[in-house]
Amino acid sequence: MSRVVKPYGDTQDDGKVQLSFTLPIEWSETADEAARQLVSRMGLHDVQVVEGRRIASGFSFFVLYASTSQSVDVEAIKLPSARAHAMTMDEIDAFIAERLGRKIRIAGACIGTDAHTVGIDAILNMKGYKGDYGLERYHMFETYNLGSQVAVEELVRFTKEHRIDALLASQVVTQKGSDVTNFTALSELLEAEGLRDRIALICGGPRVTNRLASELGYDAGFGRGTLPSEVAAFIAVTLAERLRHAAARV
Amino acid sequence: MSRVVKPYGDTQDDGKVQLSFTLPIEWSETADEAARQLVSRMGLHDVQVVEGRRIASGFSFFVLYASTSQSVDVEAIKLPSARAHAMTMDEIDAFIAERLGRKIRIAGACIGTDAHTVGIDAILNMKGYKGDYGLERYHMFETYNLGSQVAVEELVRFTKEHRIDALLASQVVTQKGSDVTNFTALSELLEAEGLRDRIALICGGPRVTNRLASELGYDAGFGRGTLPSEVAAFIAVTLAERLRHAAARV
Amino acid sequence: MELRIDWTRVERCRTLASAIVEPVEEFIAAHSTVSVERAALRLLGVDGVTADEVPAPNAIVDSLSETGLQSGVALAFGKALAETGLDPAALGEALALGRYALEDFSQTPEQAARGALRPHVEAALTRIRAQREDRAARMARLPQLPPPLLYVIVASGNIYEDRTAAVASAEAGAQVIAVIRSTGQSLLDFVPFGPTTEGFGGTYATQANFRIMRGALDEISEKLGRYVMLTNYASGLCMPEIAVMAALERLDMLLNDSMYGILFRDINMKRTFVDQHFSRMLNAYSGIIINTGEDNYLTTADAVEQAPAVLASQFINEEFAHRAGLPDAQIGLGDAYEINPDIEDSFLNQLAQAQLARQIFPNAPLKYMPPTKHMTGDIFKGHLIDAMFNLTSVMTGQNIHLCGMLTEATHTPFLGDRALSLENARYIMNTARHLGEEITIKPGGAIEGRAAEVLEGCEQLMERVAAMGLMNAIDAALFADVSRAPEGGRGYEGVFARAADYFNPFEDALRSAVAPVAS
Amino acid sequence: MELRIDWTRVERCRTLASAIVEPVEEFIAAHSTVSVERAALRLLGVDGVTADEVPAPNAIVDSLSETGLQSGVALAFGKALAETGLDPAALGEALALGRYALEDFSQTPEQAARGALRPHVEAALTRIRAQREDRAARMARLPQLPPPLLYVIVASGNIYEDRTAAVASAEAGAQVIAVIRSTGQSLLDFVPFGPTTEGFGGTYATQANFRIMRGALDEISEKLGRYVMLTNYASGLCMPEIAVMAALERLDMLLNDSMYGILFRDINMKRTFVDQHFSRMLNAYSGIIINTGEDNYLTTADAVEQAPAVLASQFINEEFAHRAGLPDAQIGLGDAYEINPDIEDSFLNQLAQAQLARQIFPNAPLKYMPPTKHMTGDIFKGHLIDAMFNLTSVMTGQNIHLCGMLTEATHTPFLGDRALSLENARYIMNTARHLGEEITIKPGGAIEGRAAEVLEGCEQLMERVAAMGLMNAIDAALFADVSRAPEGGRGYEGVFARAADYFNPFEDALRSAVAPVAS
Ligand code: B12
Ligand code: B12
Ligand SMILES: Cc1ncc(COP(=O)(O)O)c(C=O)c1O
Ligand SMILES: Cc1ncc(COP(=O)(O)O)c(C=O)c1O
């Protein structure tokens, strides 16, 4: 089954999209036309430059509306969701008790020079996020919150020393790809230390998607609006699966 | 010489563009991914879905930022500008007196069922627009403002009867291409009546561009922000050119 | 944030409004129009179109001789009813298809006609009352969100897309849905028939379209647990007929201005005055809130200069409405946020104007129109201008709030635009919900000064209008800088003097049901 | 729109602030830090880096023995000056390159050292005074736009792109440009050297970058006919050094908070207290307006709950600033618009808080920070929240207005974002320019009630802080819910007790030039 959709302006399949951008050119009618051509080259048609104006010497700002001929088949999107296992805190605790029979050891940190701890705190702290309790509140988690600006080396050392089962890394600053750089450094170092397979490795932050996470070799990635219980469920299920596989191999 | 430019976010050539649109699907992580894929298919990369949310059952709204790999050569844009002949009212009057030696007869109207007269009035009425006097104020124009909702047939009849030299048609409503339909009907009827070559045929409206006008077989098209004197200069120069050509042919 | 107002001026304006309207009312009482007559037929149940797509009410009214028309179509139609024994719908069809002609029955006595009509007139009024009661019951059961009522337009040209848009808007918080008409419809001297999917800049107002929309909104109202209102446009050449359709299909509001068609569509003034009166009587009886169109003064002319004219028009619209039996609670007087946003302290002037209307018309559900004229393709700036409009509305307690669209200068709203617009209104009105109550206006300051200036200007204008008479004043371009001659404009041929035996059973019934209101 | 305020409470808070700060000042007087010492070297003209990229001031201070350090680096450096006859820059280079070692000159008499230093100290102060006078002259010649000063950030990571962005912003109406630092710089115990093109979420604060930016802004200031200010961040491990660089390169403002580093960067409190004092003395002398960081309380914790803590912090920052000789006109106290925008009447609470600060600190150039925490990827809604922030600012007469960005949740501002943001501020502030003057706040209403509540909460908090002492209070997490131990955090190793012969010629000179202000 397929379900092909296009943007909807005021009529099914009209493909209407709004765009805005700045061009490093002085404003003129020609600048409007440059903006129009640029958007045409993106494969959009019926391009209307509804606003074009000078915002500084040598810079013009544009607002455009246009129709895209692109569409996307929603049914064809295979998105391994990290948020798939909906369980309550009590269910997760019970699940871990039953399947693993011991507490899970979790460490979380905001890595690199990033000091945005609100996100990782939202996941870890008792208080939690949007009424959903944080991991510290779970009976079956032992949780270490290492805080902000934690160097990757330090985090790996901690993981080894405290026999961490699940490692949570946060990155909020994304400028010049610093998030990807730090995430990559962490997973490579874990690999090099031979720790990677032993742990559930999870990343998060407002620009993180589960797709990005798997590209970077993480077990899961959580983006904006994540609730702690979604992360908790993922950790529980993932580690239980591993145990089952390991048991099967024996 | 060429000058190739790309959108400018915060760094030369980063190609950053903002987009927003609605998809006719219920919101979910998959919907975010659908939005991302759609924009990727427009040839944009580093696509970030910064906002995705349900706005009604079966509809989601998205805001995205992405980088385009497209660029445009500003120097290569050949845009025949209708606004090229900058002259003041007095200069235009003098120019007409000298080159044509008689008054130019102008008719203007908002055609079809369109009742948006503010634009054409801005061009024609004494008072003008943004401190630039309207065509009625020129000594060398004799101006007829036929007002709103003027049928194409009626306008052509008027043109014939009053031996109009320059015809100004306005269209503001553009939904379902009604502007193009009406403009086309006008130029075709003029053609059929054998009047087309005798007059300067000009269209205008907020969505009109000179490019569109030439595609539709008009001598010029004027868009948002047009000043009356720009139109006046175009009429004067165009009719003077014709006279010169006609003289040359004799 | 009360303004101190010179109430003697306000009283003087009301006296002037009465003086201005009185002579027009005399003219109205002595005349009828083809649209009033067609409306009577529609109320009786005549509908459908001829083979040439002419609506049956038009075909029938047009088939009358001039003297026949002057007695009112009801009389001729009543005679045919009496003779044929058909019900009105069937008779209408037969007449439209040319199977009968009204003149065939000209000899039938008037009494027979009246008798034949009576049950159908009763039935029509009963249907309207039933809709009114149905609305009241639904509104009680499905209460609305805190005021103002957020109002959005749908205008795709296609009634089915409009339906999708309307339902989505209701879910996103809209309390009133307006289906904007296609360009040109107000100049048609008939009402199109059936569901329509092709319009330009709007969707045709047809009874079928009304029904489709009402059905969809009733359904979503139940789902949301709050009644979502529906509105459309009456003003134009068919005000009375659209008022009939709206009554029958349970629209909740209707754009109905006593002078809009004259000034902004060049419709003949006599035609408009007669039409607005009959349509408003119907609106009154249907429990429909009218919306007047003062905002239109500001889309072409300067909003600061025109403010006195807007207020004068509100007084005049109020007076016409009262005379047609509309109580204050059904008079949605218009105003708009149209002052150039780049003028220093323009927000203060907007506040002054909105608060002035609020205090002068304390019981009218004021309808506040968004910025349009100064909106440009800069959707970001546009969204901000809309925000200040939203703030003014909540501060001054407006009732019907037409949400501005960030894309106003670009296209009739997209589905996503409406969602953003509703979010804008909700955010601003919530974050500043009680601001108006928590502040007072500096006595004698700039805001009060502006309000006083507007009221004074209004009084002066109305003195002039009263002195020369409304029709001459319009001729003299005293409103909106537009001059219209009393016999000029579209649709004058459809106005006629009533004969002595003129008969319109609905007018009679409505007149006794909806008594004129003392201003 | 004056609030009625319980002034006895305000006085009590000021008394408490003095009591809170007094013991800390005693600690400060008895200590110095490596950064204060490096600042002294920089003032003398030491700059550049070693072969391993270590800044010369670091290399030199680090080369001192513990006792050498306790006497102040100036003494040792002065001795070397006296002996070598080099000028300070050349000496610094020679020391950094290891050609000399300070201990080589330990036998030189103190008097010789003082004598050798004197002309260079004078020269440094003269240079700073010259910059201050230059600023005054430019500002007189190139007057600024009506208040508030619109302030935007540039943060591309690349100083040359930042320069482009800064010039464009100035043209678009910005009056103050802040170059945001790269993540992590505040934790570096040195200041990077030279122009930089790679930063994350910001651009490194280096003296070369300061100079590049100042040059570009001076140029555009001339073109625009209005002086465009430049600012950067001091708070962190190098407050004193950055204060030196800012003084020399004529920055006009500097982020400088007495507790920011402690609470939000886990920098040791003793280090911070000593550093802020010296850096603020320099700021005072340079005519630089400091900006405090109360907004940071609100980015992690709830803005309604934290309002009393913000006010308390403002009192404490004011007191520390006064003690360092800063007059009110140079104390840019911070506040922010961070209440959850979806709370009913949140705008009223914001007004209350902003107006309270305005009246309590009438002569301070208040710095108002935009919404950040509740900004999301919905740039349309974000633009509206910024608009209400802009409105609050103009209504309550804030002075330094950091413009909010619609893309706050997404990326450091694009060039186009800044243009939209400035347009937002200009539009709102112009359309409602005198609103604040034209209204009064309802006595005893919700707005006044909220203001009173905040003041009362502040007083209570300050009573507790005074009772336990500031250091213990921070330990007990009384500020921003963060607990920091007096000996914990970064940079504690750089704090040392002054020996009896401690000598810092700049401190001495500044102390006599900028007298503590009575609160
Ligand atoms: C609060 C804040 C700050 C505070 C941080 C306080 C603190 N202790 O965290 C302060 C004021 C200190 C600050 C400073 C800076 N900030 Co800041 N800050 C923000 C702000 C306003 C909100 C971030 C936030 O708290 N969000 C709320 C949380 C709950 O959301 P979240 O982080 O997305 O987390 C959720 C999910 O993503 C997920 N999640 C997050 N991490 C993880 C990890 C795991 C494992 C999992 C499973 C899930 C998960 O779960 C959370 C709950 O759902 C944003 C703008 C904004 N509105 O987003 C800018 C922002 C993030 N900051 C920014 C910048 C640049 C800075 C500075 C670098 C500026 C400067 N040069 O001075 C500094 C330096 C800080 C540093 N060294 O990193 C930029 C980043 C730009 C970019 N994309 O690169 C932003 C976007 C602002 C901007 N537009 O410029 N900032
Ligand atoms: C004012 C206005 C009205 C007034 C018109 C009054 C009048 N006498 O003109 C009223 C209230 C009556 C009105 C009604 C309607 N309007 Co209207 N209206 C506008 C509004 C707010 C401003 C238009 C305007 O006056 N612009 C100012 C002038 C000076 O600008 P301009 O037209 O672009 O003209 C300049 C240039 O384009 C050029 N120019 C224009 N024409 C010509 C011709 C020539 C020859 C030349 C050389 C130059 C030239 O020169 C001018 C000066 O620079 C716009 C929204 C907006 N902010 O743009 C909507 C808008 C144009 N209206 C719209 C609609 C849909 C309608 C209605 C159909 C709604 C309805 N269903 O009821 C009705 C029907 C009217 C009809 N039959 O056409 C839509 C059109 C959507 C679309 N793109 O198709 C808009 C965009 C609003 C919206 N978003 O829905 N409207
Ligand atoms: C009172 C009133 N009636 C009707 C209309 C719509 O009329 P038309 O269909 O002629 O555009 C308007 C438009 O604004 C109006 O204000
Ligand atoms: C007072 C103060 N200083 C400095 C900074 C910046 O410090 P950092 O570079 O550590 O982010 C801020 C940030 O908001 C601040 O408020």
Side-chain angles (χ1 to χ4, degrees), chain A residues 115-118 170 174-175 205-206 226, chain D residues 180-181 201 372 375 408 411:
Chain A
H116 291 89
T117 50
V118 178
S170 181
T174 60
Q175 209 188 36
T226 305
Chain D
I180 299 294
R181 283 187 304 197
T372 63
M375 297 291 277
E408 169 62 30
H411 46 243

Side-chain angles (χ1 to χ4, degrees), chain A residues 1 11 13 21 126 158:
Chain A
M1 218 186 66
T11 303
D13 292 329
F21 51 79
M126 284 280 177
F158 188 93

Side-chain angles (χ1 to χ4, degrees), chain A residues 115 149, chain D residues 180-187 232-236 239 254-261 264-265 267 280 291-296 299 317 367 369:
Chain A
Q149 305 193 309
Chain D
I180 299 294
R181 283 187 304 197
S182 176
T183 61
Q185 178 171 1
S186 52
L187 303 187
N232 208 297
Y233 294 67
S235 310
M239 293 181 91
L254 212 49
L255 277 271
N256 183 324
D257 191 283
S258 55
M259 301 195 287
Y260 167 83
F264 304 106
R265 285 294 172 271
I267 292 175
R280 284 178 173 196
N291 292 181
T292 63
E294 280 77 6
D295 49 295
N296 294 284
T299 58
N317 257 315
K367 181 192 183 203
M369 298 286 287

